[in-house]
Amino acid sequence: MRKHACGMRRFKGIGSITAIVCVGAIILGILPAVAAQLQQKNIILATTTSTQDSGLLDVLIPIFEKKTGYFVKTIAVGSGQAMVMGQKGEADVLLVHSPDAEKRFMAEGSGINRMLVMHNDFIVVRHSLDPAGIKGIKSSAAAFKRISDSGALFMSRGDNSGTDAKEKSIWKAAGINPDRQKWYQQTGLGMGQTLNVSAEKKAYTLIDRGTYLALQKNLGFSVRSVLSVMVEGDAMLLNTYHVLEVNPARWQKVNASGAKAFASFMVSRQAQEIIKNFGKARYGSPLFFPDVRNK
Amino acid sequence: MDMIFDGIKQAFFLLFTMDREVMGITLLSLKISGIATFFSMLLGISLGMSVALSRFPGRNLVVSLINTSMGLPPVVVGLFVTIFLWRNGPLGFLEILYTPTAIIIAQTIIAAPIVTGITLSAIQHLPVNLRLQILSLGATRLQMVWILAKEAKLPLLTAVMAGFGGIISEVGASIMVGGNIKGYSRVLTTATVMETGRGNFDIAIALGIILLLLSFTINAILTHIQQGERMR
């Protein structure tokens, strides 16, 4: 728009006003940018929706900021999108839970210093009725097979997030291609919203326990009574969160020291202690389990 | 039903207790959309008047372009602004992606065509003879523009209201270019989306009500000015 308006200079009088407005707008637009550039204090953290929807980052980040003076810009997207941001050098540090994709990310040289931070597990939940009869089945692949056989509605994230990647690997293990099946729907939304949709449509869905517990509490009257855990405890359902620094050798603009500081913080005794206790009081059990043994 | 009632109760509770976070979000929304409205007003009114008062080849095309852009989808604007502002994008050196400045830019791009379009039609609807009369009284071109703008004050105010209404309620671009960062670029609409995702429907409803109240108050003030002008 601005460029276009600047081109109107030939219309005398009015044109010159336009020109002044253009210049003014550009200067006013650039000033704060220059100011922002002086301080390399910003860290862009690309992360999964579960760390934000569960509220964990709201606790951790203020402590980190206070301690180090960095300013963390948390961009909560799916793990897949977070890693694409890392690949393009548009993020400094990632907190994600899609191990296979993370390994590829490391192998191609996009990241450095991948560290295990915490874990919880995935569970399959649904409205209390269980038309596919999967409640209590230990193997997630077997449960998925039954869902497919029964044609009961399954709600998928469908957004390349860590949960989505896990779900796809379970379908693969079950030897089923759910795409284009009538009983298989994709929301393309975050974990919290997908759980809401599943609750409303009475669909099965795969969810990380952290978000489930947090939302179970928040949704209270609607979800607690109707959404119950169907499948849990399968080794395949382990959900691990890693912190990765974006490779600064590849992208000059990456805030390498900030990324390093954040990654070190996430595995520090202080952060691990917070993760261990997060949600205990409010949700009755921890949402995440810290995985770093600090000496 | 309970939930809706709880939400409304929560909204007034947050409002009356001046909850710090909610107040911060509300003020930031006002500030961002206010600045964006200001810029789109400057750009839109000058561009709209320029086009309304001049004849040049391809003018019809320009007018149709302006009218089309009045309905620019915010997500599309958000997408393009994001691509331009990426660190490694054409304007990456500015380092303003995920800042309030980025939201102001995106919202200006959304609102400016709205203001331009309404200005254009307002000025064109003034009697043609008025221009000749003003010029014949010895006014300079700049003075004529000023008088015409004063003459079209009411529709111009409508233009500003429409622009502001369009961007204060916009979520697609704000979340993409602003990133919904807590205490920094989180505005009413993006906070509503996030709280819905978190299952905090009561807070989401509260934020929605605050947004409505805000929008209503601003429009009421502008309408008061507008209608007051008409009475004189």
Side-chain angles (χ1 to χ4, degrees):
Chain A
M1 284 313 298
R2 272 176 202 160
K3 201 173 158 215
H4 192 85
C6 288
M8 305 292 290
R9 211 157 288 168
R10 57 205 168 102
F11 303 119
K12 294 159 206 153
I14 319 154
S16 57
I17 298 175
T18 316
I20 294 165
V21 169
C22 278
V23 173
I26 290 167
I27 290 173
L28 278 167
I30 285 174
L31 276 181
V34 174
Q37 206 162 13
L38 293 175
Q39 29 161 337
Q40 228 332 346
K41 281 284 166 199
N42 292 339
I43 303 171
I44 297 181
L45 164 68
T47 184
T48 90
T49 54
S50 52
T51 51
Q52 183 172 63
D53 284 350
S54 63
L56 176 66
L57 289 177
D58 284 349
V59 179
L60 284 174
I61 284 176
I63 297 171
F64 170 73
E65 287 178 336
K66 208 167 175 190
K67 205 169 149 183
T68 59
Y70 283 110
F71 177 66
V72 181
K73 297 181 169 180
T74 309
I75 309 301
V77 288
S79 289
Q81 196 185 333
M83 270 179 274
V84 171
M85 285 174 70
Q87 272 166 347
K88 293 172 180 284
E90 300 298 340
D92 301 313
V93 61
L94 315 178
L95 177 62
V96 286
H97 67 140
S98 194
D100 293 338
E102 287 162 37
K103 281 173 200 149
R104 284 197 296 276
F105 185 83
M106 297 301 290
E108 67 186 26
S110 297
I112 54 169
N113 221 356
R114 175 171 175 251
M115 291 185 287
L116 181 62
V117 176
M118 60 191 185
H119 73 272
N120 59 17
D121 61 337
F122 287 108
I123 47 182
V124 180
V125 299
R126 193 199 181 270
H127 189 270
S128 53
L129 291 172
D130 180 18
I134 61 166
K135 191 164 179 121
I137 293 185
K138 269 276 164 276
S139 154
S140 51
F144 272 37
K145 178 93 179 42
R146 277 213 198 165
I147 293 174
S148 152
D149 289 345
S150 72
L153 193 59
F154 186 96
M155 206 52 71
S156 167
R157 291 276 294 277
D159 63 351
N160 283 330
S161 60
T163 310
D164 193 43
K166 174 65 78 180
E167 184 208 303
K168 286 198 176 99
S169 69
I170 299 174
W171 286 119
K172 211 171 158 192
I176 293 163
N177 178 11
D179 273 342
R180 293 166 202 276
Q181 299 290 341
K182 230 185 237 149
W183 48 268
Y184 186 77
Q185 297 183 355
Q186 303 184 324
T187 62
L189 300 169
M191 192 71 257
Q193 277 163 313
T194 301
L195 186 72
N196 290 341
V197 175
S198 307
E200 289 299 324
K201 298 189 75 156
K202 298 183 182 163
Y204 289 98
T205 197
L206 183 73
I207 183 171
D208 67 283
R209 199 182 289 267
T211 309
Y212 173 72
L213 287 173
L215 264 86
Q216 191 190 32
K217 172 83 177 178
N218 293 345
L219 294 170
F221 38 88
S222 62
V223 169
R224 194 191 341 232
S225 49
V226 293
L227 273 184
S228 49
V229 179
M230 295 290 165
V231 179
E232 62 186 330
D234 186 357
M236 199 171 180
L237 293 176
L238 180 68
N239 180 23
T240 54
Y241 290 82
H242 286 80
V243 63
L244 292 81
E245 295 162 42
V246 174
N247 190 354
R250 190 170 272 198
W251 302 103
Q252 283 180 354
K253 290 179 180 172
V254 162
N255 182 353
S257 55
K260 181 148 222 71
F262 183 79
S264 317
F265 171 74
M266 287 304 288
V267 297
S268 71
R269 182 190 293 265
Q270 188 184 12
Q272 293 281 310
E273 197 65 27
I274 293 166
I275 291 169
K276 193 171 116 192
N277 294 314
F278 176 72
K280 255 189 194 164
R282 195 171 166 173
Y283 308 114
S285 69
L287 305 189
F288 300 98
F289 299 91
D291 278 324
V292 183
R293 303 216 181 286
N294 285 292
K295 289 129 224 160
Chain B
M1 257 341 268
D2 277 0
M3 194 168 70
I4 298 170
F5 188 67
D6 279 350
I8 294 170
K9 228 166 50 185
Q10 177 85 357
F12 285 100
F13 179 75
L14 290 173
L15 266 180
F16 286 122
T17 54
M18 302 284 272
D19 181 87
R20 239 176 92 204
E21 192 172 346
V22 172
M23 284 301 134
I25 292 173
T26 309
L27 287 179
L28 187 68
S29 295
L30 259 182
K31 196 171 125 191
I32 287 177
S33 298
I35 296 174
T37 307
F38 176 72
F39 281 133
S40 53
M41 193 177 83
L42 291 183
L43 285 167
I45 291 182
S46 43
L47 186 62
M49 292 196 88
S50 306
V51 176
L53 298 177
S54 48
R55 297 282 170 272
F56 53 91
R59 186 176 178 277
N60 282 346
L61 180 69
V62 171
V63 174
S64 347
L65 278 178
I66 291 171
N67 286 333
T68 311
S69 346
M70 284 175 81
L72 273 183
V75 277
V76 176
V77 174
L79 176 65
F80 279 96
V81 173
T82 309
I83 292 172
F84 272 84
L85 293 183
W86 266 335
R87 277 178 180 167
N88 302 297
L91 299 176
F93 63 93
L94 297 174
E95 300 212 355
I96 51 173
L97 189 57
Y98 308 131
T99 62
T101 313
I103 310 182
I104 293 174
I105 292 173
Q107 293 194 342
T108 304
I109 295 173
I110 295 166
I114 300 176
V115 181
T116 311
I118 300 179
T119 305
L120 180 63
S121 84
I123 298 297
Q124 277 180 334
H125 274 93
L126 293 175
V128 184
N129 289 341
L130 183 65
R131 272 158 75 184
L132 301 175
Q133 197 181 2
I134 295 168
L135 286 176
S136 70
L137 287 170
T140 64
R141 215 176 141 79
L142 209 59
Q143 280 171 326
M144 176 196 77
V145 168
W146 181 241
I147 295 167
L148 287 182
K150 281 210 314 210
E151 211 45 50
K153 200 160 30 182
L154 299 185
L156 291 189
L157 211 50
T158 311
V160 175
M161 275 157 64
F164 179 80
I167 54 181
I168 188 99
S169 56
E170 172 286 320
V171 61
S174 298
I175 211 158
M176 285 170 100
V177 306
N180 188 35
I181 297 161
K182 190 179 182 185
Y184 180 68
S185 63
R186 184 168 293 171
V187 293
L188 282 167
T189 51
T190 63
T192 308
V193 169
M194 189 197 63
E195 296 298 351
T196 308
R198 284 180 170 182
N200 294 330
F201 294 118
D202 48 353
I203 301 181
I205 293 172
L207 290 169
I209 291 175
I210 292 171
L211 181 61
L212 279 174
L213 282 178
L214 195 68
S215 197
F216 175 79
T217 312
I218 304 266
N219 275 302
I221 295 170
L222 287 174
T223 311
H224 182 75
I225 299 171
Q226 198 186 41
Q227 297 302 317
E229 283 297 333
R230 192 188 292 277
M231 299 311 260
R232 262 199 297 177

